[in-house]
Amino acid sequence: MPMGHTATAQAGSGGLTATEHRLANGLRVVLSEDHLTPVAAVCLWYDVGSRHEVKGRTGLAHLFEHLMFQGSKQVSGNGHFELVQGAGGSLNGTTSFERTNYFETMPAHQLELALWLEADRMGSLLAALDEESMENQRDVVKNERRQRYDNVPYGTAFERLTALSYPEGHPYHHTPIGSMADLDAATLEDARAFFRTNYAPNNAVLSVVGDIDPERTLAWIEKYFGSIPSHDGKQPPRDGTLPDIIGEQLREEVLEEVPARALMAAYRLPHDGDRACDAADLALTVLGGGESSRLHNRLVRRDQSAVAAGFGLLRLAGAPSLGWLDVKTSGGVEVPEIETAVDEELARFAAEGPTAEEMERAQAQLEREWLDRLGTVAGRADELCRFAVLFGDPQLALSAVDRVLDITADEVRAVAAARLRPDNRAVLVYEPVTPDDVAATADAADTADAAETDKHEGTDQ
């Protein structure tokens, strides 16, 4: 049999179900019927992200996300966008540390078109990949870096905190955007080798959710994807294991033209998929998840020392997750005042844990967020792929809400006490400067460089 049925879900959250199948070439397929509206979502996750990159070639995963929209054997130029949008659909792609995904939401009668398009570029992108498309998308990605990282207030905070949180040489030390130098260094052959290794059917999960006929959908998938050969040359990502606690406070001060002083911090937290990660999510929701949170009430409402205070979770499966603290100060308030207040609130929470009311509110908030994702065909398709790629079982997506609701207040307090500590965080302190300050600093650096050059001139080597 070219395609085998491997599992059928029991009723999950809200009675949702999913079935799993596998093609002979290794492509995993997950289907979930939903006839509420006449639309269908196609989601394709490739098990490749920035953690799979090597030093000197960072940014390739994200660059390839762009190259996948530059044409394939049967579809030239921007044809993928034009065909999907012309059929009344929407589409995009994203890259993270742990995966690259592509997705379309289509009128149900246009589902076959989306499947054909995804199969065509999986099977034949190399036929269209040339120096022109490579240079075009290299420039697009470099522009994206300038617009989203380098030329916006606090834009490099994520990159800086990631580099602090994960040591040099760790697979998560660099972010998916990559460096300008590495983007410039990437060659066409680098890109081709990256595609051959990672864009194979046995390195992907395809989910289709919505108003579908499963038997017909499977027939289309076999027709378009079944002849694409598998590839066995992929190496597993480097080990992302780290101690639970950093062991010290890592700190960096950033002098930039920003609107206000800011305190940002990343705390090392349990891996996604662990029960303790769900407990950490609840802890951060109580502490900094919205206007009813402890930090907002303390810093913004009571002390009026901040204009914004949030605490969220970056879930990661292959490395410790990160608890992400972001506080923007108000007026002339200094960062040490903010930091003292934050540490007081964290210490109190570690000692006392959440109240029953806070626990109920946090669980309801996370439950609503999960059900919002599962309630749309596109969101459910993405979650089914996520759990299949990262945890090996798409069915876990349908019971994720139940696992969050099963966490106790004691577990929430325990993870906060163990992890939300000053010796387990990387800290960024932003201090605003004026354009004149920046110019003066640059001039001083140039003068120092010139003096160093003069000092070494004429010296025997």
Side-chain angles (χ1 to χ4, degrees):
M1 291 288 290
M3 179 184 300
H5 177 271
T6 56
T8 302
Q10 300 300 313
S13 300
L16 302 176
T17 61
T19 59
E20 300 174 55
H21 314 265
R22 190 183 292 270
L23 272 61
N25 60 10
L27 179 68
R28 296 182 66 186
V29 179
V30 185
L31 304 181
S32 180
E33 287 185 78
D34 183 346
H35 302 289
L36 188 62
T37 55
V39 295
V42 173
C43 187
L44 189 58
W45 270 48
Y46 290 93
D47 185 12
V48 58
S50 58
R51 68 169 172 166
H52 298 87
E53 297 166 347
V54 297
K55 187 174 182 178
R57 289 297 181 268
T58 65
L60 268 178
H62 180 233
L63 176 62
F64 232 99
E65 173 210 319
H66 288 259
L67 289 171
M68 284 284 277
F69 290 100
Q70 280 293 286
S72 51
K73 186 175 183 179
Q74 307 295 333
V75 183
S76 61
N78 290 320
H80 196 112
F81 275 101
E82 292 165 0
L83 286 167
V84 170
Q85 293 172 341
S90 60
L91 71 162
N92 214 329
T94 67
T95 311
S96 76
F97 291 99
E98 301 181 324
R99 60 97 183 102
T100 308
N101 68 344
Y102 302 90
F103 45 92
E104 295 90 4
T105 300
M106 306 288 284
H109 68 281
Q110 296 285 3
L111 170 60
E112 185 180 9
L113 172 62
L115 293 171
W116 175 76
L117 285 167
E118 288 294 357
D120 190 59
R121 61 181 174 182
M122 178 192 281
S124 70
L125 184 115
L126 286 185
L129 182 59
D130 56 21
E131 290 285 1
E132 182 180 356
S133 58
M134 181 82 171
E135 289 306 314
N136 176 284
Q137 290 310 302
R138 192 200 312 269
D139 289 343
V140 169
V141 172
K142 289 167 69 175
N143 237 3
E144 181 180 340
R145 181 184 170 86
R146 294 184 191 102
Q147 293 172 357
R148 294 177 55 192
Y149 284 72
D150 298 335
N151 297 333
V152 296
Y154 316 107
T156 59
F158 179 60
E159 193 171 44
R160 291 172 184 271
L161 274 179
T162 298
L164 280 176
S165 302
Y166 302 108
E168 182 75 38
H170 189 273
Y172 292 68
H173 179 72
H174 70 278
T175 57
I177 194 69
S179 73
M180 286 288 199
D182 287 357
L183 287 169
D184 283 333
T187 67
L188 180 60
E189 188 46 48
D190 288 333
R192 287 174 171 161
F194 192 84
F195 179 85
R196 291 188 203 99
T197 301
N198 298 294
Y199 280 78
N202 55 317
N203 197 48
V205 173
L206 171 67
S207 67
V208 184
V209 176
D211 188 18
I212 64 173
D213 178 319
E215 186 175 343
R216 179 186 298 171
T217 301
L218 285 171
W220 285 334
I221 292 170
E222 174 63 37
K223 177 181 179 181
Y224 297 123
F225 289 89
S227 62
I228 302 172
S230 60
H231 187 281
D232 297 326
K234 181 185 174 185
Q235 297 298 312
R238 288 169 291 138
D239 184 16
T241 303
L242 289 171
D244 289 348
I245 301 297
I246 295 174
E248 61 179 319
Q249 181 173 231
L250 306 173
R251 200 173 188 90
E252 182 179 327
E253 185 177 63
V254 184
L255 305 178
E256 281 188 4
E257 294 177 64
V258 291
R261 293 187 180 95
L263 171 68
M264 300 185 189
Y267 292 78
R268 191 177 289 177
L269 294 176
H271 290 234
D272 192 12
D274 291 348
R275 185 179 175 92
C277 188
D278 289 333
D281 204 353
L282 287 164
L284 301 190
T285 302
V286 172
L287 287 164
E291 295 185 0
S292 63
S293 67
R294 290 195 182 193
L295 291 176
H296 186 90
N297 281 328
R298 167 74 185 268
L299 299 172
V300 180
R301 287 182 176 168
R302 196 193 87 179
D303 297 354
Q304 297 184 0
S305 57
V307 295
F311 214 167
L313 178 63
L314 174 62
R315 287 178 175 263
L316 296 170
S321 301
L322 291 181
W324 199 268
L325 174 71
D326 187 351
V327 182
K328 306 294 194 308
T329 68
S330 61
V333 175
E334 302 281 345
V335 167
E337 179 181 340
I338 295 289
E339 198 163 2
T340 298
V342 167
D343 285 343
E344 287 175 359
E345 292 301 320
L346 296 187
R348 183 163 67 92
F349 190 80
E352 302 171 1
T355 66
E357 181 184 355
E358 286 175 327
M359 192 70 182
E360 181 179 3
R361 186 167 59 238
Q363 287 179 314
Q365 184 173 330
L366 294 185
E367 180 183 27
R368 185 185 67 247
E369 292 171 3
W370 272 108
L371 294 178
D372 283 348
R373 287 197 288 276
L374 294 181
T376 67
V377 293
R380 196 184 324 156
D382 191 57
E383 289 300 327
L384 289 169
C385 279
R386 183 170 85 88
F387 280 92
V389 169
L390 299 181
F391 308 111
D393 184 1
Q395 311 297 345
L396 292 172
L398 305 180
S399 58
V401 175
D402 299 329
R403 292 192 295 277
V404 170
L405 297 179
D406 191 49
I407 301 295
T408 67
D410 284 342
E411 290 176 287
V412 173
R413 187 208 61 76
V415 76
R419 301 298 191 101
L420 300 181
R421 303 166 15 182
D423 65 346
N424 187 38
R425 68 185 176 201
V427 177
L428 284 187
V429 174
Y430 275 86
E431 286 290 340
V433 294
T434 67
D436 290 341
D437 293 332
V438 174
T441 301
D443 289 344
D446 290 343
T447 301
D449 288 344
E452 187 69 14
T453 299
D454 290 343
K455 184 174 73 174
H456 290 291
E457 281 183 358
T459 301
D460 291 334
Q461 300 298 319

